[in-house]
Amino acid sequence: PTVKLRLGNLFDGPADLIVVPCSTSGTVTGFVAHSLSQYSIPHPREGMNLGEVDIVPFEGADDIAQFVAFAASVLRNKSSAEAVEAIGRAVGTFTTKEPSVRSVSAPLVGTGAGGLSGEVAAAALRRGFFDTAAPDATLVIHVLHPDIYDRLRSNRPIIQGRAKKS
């Protein structure tokens, strides 16, 4: 599997599956709520467990993605690397079960309301995806802010689980 960082919105380009972060109670950020409304995506269900993922067909916007994954990455304004890794594993597993899904787009789940650093979230998402994804699957982690994107690119060895050279 491949994992890439990309500056921009996960709705900017086509993918087979997009990951939409939410809380365990089904709430989303204002930015996500606007995107859900703009693309007529239903809201996530309430009562999910932290790290749980619901994957549903993306009806009416096939030019964006075939599927939407609602990822419960926040519980009471907190997240964890373990929860984000579980999300990565669930998404990776879906690429092995659904042969039409090879391109996955996700934001840095767990970093907004969840409070994780970008490095921790990206590393956990990568680990989980690598553990379970189809060999030819690609996860693109979209980063909205240029300063965070630049910081993550300079810390790429950390995200990949290696020591950073000084």
Side-chain angles (χ1 to χ4, degrees):
T2 306
V3 176
K4 301 176 180 179
L5 285 175
R6 182 167 296 151
L7 179 62
N9 182 341
L10 73 142
F11 292 97
D12 285 347
D16 300 319
L17 170 69
I18 57 170
V19 178
V20 176
C22 64
S23 72
T24 58
S25 59
T27 60
V28 294
T29 64
F31 176 79
V32 171
H34 174 74
S35 297
L36 294 180
S37 174
Q38 182 178 358
Y39 296 104
S40 300
I41 302 171
H43 279 263
R45 69 177 170 88
E46 294 180 29
M48 294 174 71
N49 294 315
L50 186 63
E52 185 178 357
V53 177
D54 277 347
I55 300 175
V56 297
F58 191 167
E59 314 228 337
D62 294 337
D63 57 327
I64 296 171
Q66 301 173 54
F67 297 94
V68 175
F70 293 108
S73 57
V74 177
L75 170 65
R76 293 187 208 104
N77 293 323
K78 289 195 177 185
S79 191
S80 70
E82 295 78 18
V84 173
E85 189 171 335
I87 291 166
R89 275 195 307 276
V91 170
T93 298
F94 192 72
T95 68
T96 63
K97 292 180 179 177
E98 183 60 53
S100 67
V101 175
R102 288 297 164 262
S103 174
V104 178
S105 290
L108 277 170
V109 295
T111 59
L116 294 178
S117 74
E119 289 81 1
V120 168
L125 199 54
R126 179 189 178 279
R127 256 190 326 273
F129 187 77
F130 260 61
D131 285 350
T132 59
D136 58 344
T138 300
L139 170 64
V140 178
I141 302 173
H142 292 263
V143 182
L144 284 175
H145 304 289
D147 55 332
I148 296 171
Y149 174 78
D150 291 340
R151 191 185 78 225
L152 291 174
R153 283 184 49 91
S154 70
N155 287 327
R156 186 169 283 173
I158 294 169
I159 294 167
Q160 294 173 342
R162 299 189 313 254
K164 185 176 178 183
K165 295 178 184 175
S166 55

